[in-house]
Amino acid sequence: MKKLSILVGILALASGPALAEEAAGDWGGILGGQLHVIVHIKKNGAAYSGTLESPDQGAVVIPIDTITTTPDHLAFSIAAIHGSYDGKWDDAQKTWTGTWTQGQAMPLTLKRLDPAAKPTPIARPQEQAISVGPNPYTASEVTFDSRAAGVKLAGTFSVPNGKGPFPAVVLIAGSGPHTRDEDVFNHKIFVVLTDALNRAGIAVLRYDKRGIGQSSGNYKTATTTDFTTDATAAVEWLKSRPEVNKSRIGLIGHSEGGLIAPTVAVADPSVAFVVLMAGPGLPGDTLLLMQQAAIARASGESEAAIATAQAMNRQAFDVIKASSSPEDAQGKVKTLMASLVASGQITQAQADAAVTQLTSPWGYEFLRYDPRPTLSKVKVPVLAINGGLDRQVPPKEDLEEIRQALKDNRDVTVTELPGLNHLFQTAKTGAPSEYGQIEETVAPVALKIITDWVSAHSK
């Protein structure tokens, strides 16, 4: 996501009697066995503050919102990325051993960082080849206004060499604080996709989400509806460009971007076509429950643990769907989480993180949203693809819902690509823990099916 990555994985963690070292300082770990993270913690009197850094993703540094620590317990949360950590002190190993939760629960052990140690990034051959060039297109930095929101978006506009005007697409990222590159586990998905489209004679606009990178606005309070407004503004900007064939502007949405693209296409009849890359065709609460179970199974969780997590998440989702407002939902979810804490099923830190994630403006809207009514109104050509090993948007159920919603559309291609995951990488299990280990950013078969289809619908 994300990519779609807000589902709270609720795991109970035991607490031991060990006496931890001072929590302040720099702590490093490898998330899920692949992604290097560094947690910088400062102590000011009795209070703590800090940041989380991801060297593998371009040294992204994100402020930590809350930090709580005792001699044997460390917990922190980051609302901007819907993430939280809950760990206990291992005195024998001198580490914090715990779980990072951001859409799914992943193991994360933090140990004091050696300032001289620098992680060696895993190779990304597709991106390296693009950076070396030469490339048959020109890329330029651009800005455009999302006027209704008072937001200025920054992005990259790339145009094939030669005489235009060219057909063009807007790339719409999945959930999470993505830049124009759609960085996921040090993969720049939109860089690779843009390169393939440009080489096929398609101009591309990709942009930083509001409040991320060089774009203005507030990401923390933004919802899918807000991101739809921004995507609409991107289409309007493309219409103003002399390099672009205004009658052949399409949308390519990945994951949450696949919710946004149909809404833009329904509202703007000038949109010529839509590509859904793992775009949701199921209601938000249903999709997230399926996602949690699929990821857990791919990660080796027991059926008993999966059933427990499903029951707790179902309770929370039902409360949110029955609530009258985000504020109403927050109060009711707090009450539910308090009962789970009292029964020892989760920790207070996990309860706080669940309330923050599920009742955020984005979470509240997403859980209550059903994409099918909008999909049924899309009349332009649609390509819908999912990876056969996608554990975040389960392909068979999702593609069937999309197929049914689009049954009255005369130009629809629905395809499941065997062996590919949610990022459209060639994978083994499809679990998110594999994303960072795989050198491939986007499988050539996925690039070909997208570029061939877009080219055929741009004439």
Side-chain angles (χ1 to χ4, degrees), residues 200-258:
I202 314 295
V204 178
L205 174 63
R206 52 194 174 91
Y207 55 94
D208 301 335
K209 282 191 172 183
R210 63 167 68 188
I212 304 300
Q214 297 176 45
S215 291
S216 69
N218 189 340
Y219 173 81
K220 286 185 181 181
T221 61
T223 65
T224 301
T225 297
D226 296 319
F227 297 133
T228 300
T229 298
D230 297 342
T232 299
V235 173
E236 289 301 315
W237 186 86
L238 278 180
K239 292 178 188 177
S240 72
R241 301 297 302 187
E243 306 96 327
V244 170
N245 180 342
K246 298 170 182 57
S247 67
R248 307 316 301 164
I249 296 175
L251 307 170
I252 301 180
H254 181 210
S255 200
E256 184 196 8

Side-chain angles (χ1 to χ4, degrees), residues 13 23 35 46 53 74 94 160 231 269 279 305 310 313 333 388 394 397 447 456:
L13 295 174
L35 182 69
E53 180 181 347
L74 172 67
K94 304 299 181 187
Q310 289 270 290
N313 280 302
V333 174
E397 298 86 350
L447 295 174

Side-chain angles (χ1 to χ4, degrees), residues 254-255 277-279 291 294-295 385-398 416-417 419-424 427 429-431 435:
H254 181 210
S255 200
M277 299 175 64
Q291 178 189 112
I295 291 172
I385 59 173
N386 280 60
L389 293 178
D390 191 334
R391 307 306 180 192
Q392 292 186 241
V393 181
K396 287 181 172 54
E397 298 86 350
D398 188 66
E416 181 179 325
L417 302 178
L420 304 190
N421 61 19
H422 185 65
L423 306 189
F424 294 89
T429 71
Y435 295 169

